[in-house]
Amino acid sequence: MPGKAQASRSAGAPIGILLAATGAALALAGLARALREWIFAPRDGWVPASGAWPWLAAAGGTVLAAAGIALYLRGLARGRSTPATFLSPEEEREVMEAIAAAERRTSGEIRVHLAAGGEGEIMERAARTFEQLGMTATRERNGVLFYVDVPARRIAILGDAGIHERVPEGFWDEVLSRVRERFAEGRFGKGLAEGIALAGEALAEHFPHRPDDVNELPDQISRES
């Protein structure tokens, strides 16, 4: 069963907001003073600033604001460090709709599991979860699991033997790459939904939906406490 891991992300949002606001104010003040000196000639009652300090203030403020924004975004991600908080209600609905849309076109089964971390290789833990969820018991061995190690922001994608032997080499890496791109943006629900859609296309191609198909596994997102 193929899969891959994705790197971790973290930080602190309140400090990020403060840095971004301070940096933006400093940048605007420095830029306004620098532009005034550059555009307008000195006049009576106004003493021009000396040297390059206004430009330095503008540049420093810009850097500080950018750092604050980055810290803020990482802080938001850190706030979703448990399986219970990883997906917002809107994101969970998006993921569930992606699963439902994919399974309407295939006899395959797709599940998402949010793990609380753990020791050992992520692929080993994902494989154990695959069996614990009963995903090896599908009639055509066509289950696909999206396993997310929430604290570490790592993901493994596993396809059972029936679907794995039919997809081209590198297919799971392509799915994983799409999910990782969205995870890096902090769009966790979108990443899972897009990955599910790609897996669903392959399942629909090799295991199209039939009139006698039954839903062999629950569609709900499973979570560790």
Side-chain angles (χ1 to χ4, degrees):
M1 297 179 191
K4 206 108 175 182
Q6 186 259 335
S8 62
R9 305 169 66 233
S10 63
I15 296 178
I17 294 175
L18 178 61
L19 289 178
T22 303
L26 180 62
L28 289 173
L31 184 60
R33 186 60 181 263
L35 288 176
R36 184 178 179 184
E37 285 195 15
W38 182 52
I39 296 173
F40 300 103
R43 299 176 182 176
D44 293 340
W46 172 65
V47 179
S50 59
W53 285 111
W55 292 108
L56 291 175
T62 300
V63 172
L64 188 63
I69 292 171
L71 197 59
Y72 171 73
L73 293 176
R74 290 181 179 179
L76 291 182
R78 192 177 197 181
R80 303 205 220 181
S81 59
T82 68
T85 61
F86 182 65
L87 296 175
S88 69
E90 293 77 15
E91 288 176 322
E92 181 163 351
R93 184 162 50 249
E94 182 178 21
V95 172
M96 295 297 298
E97 289 174 353
I99 293 174
E103 292 192 355
R104 281 195 293 268
R105 302 174 55 210
T106 178
S107 62
E109 299 286 341
I110 300 175
R111 296 210 64 180
V112 173
H113 181 79
L114 304 181
E119 298 180 358
E121 293 295 329
I122 186 172
M123 289 303 299
E124 295 177 359
R125 289 185 277 131
R128 288 196 298 268
T129 300
F130 197 93
E131 294 188 4
Q132 292 168 358
L133 294 176
M135 299 191 68
T136 58
T138 58
R139 180 174 58 183
E140 298 179 279
R141 300 298 298 273
N142 54 5
V144 177
L145 173 65
F146 288 76
Y147 178 95
V148 182
D149 181 334
V150 173
R153 297 293 191 270
R154 302 175 68 200
I155 180 167
I157 303 173
L158 287 77
D160 208 352
I163 181 61
H164 179 50
E165 65 188 13
R166 287 170 170 78
V167 296
E169 184 177 355
F171 171 75
W172 301 112
D173 286 333
E174 293 177 7
V175 178
L176 180 68
S177 178
R178 177 70 65 85
V179 178
R180 290 180 67 185
E181 287 177 7
R182 299 295 176 256
F183 272 35
E185 298 168 355
R187 303 168 69 190
F188 307 122
K190 176 64 69 175
L192 289 170
E194 291 186 2
I196 289 166
L198 291 175
E201 290 175 7
L203 287 168
E205 177 183 355
H206 300 290
F207 299 95
H209 188 272
R210 299 192 305 264
D212 63 343
D213 282 337
V214 296
N215 194 12
E216 300 179 86
L217 296 172
D219 295 333
Q220 288 78 13
I221 296 172
S222 57
R223 289 177 169 87
E224 294 176 4
S225 58

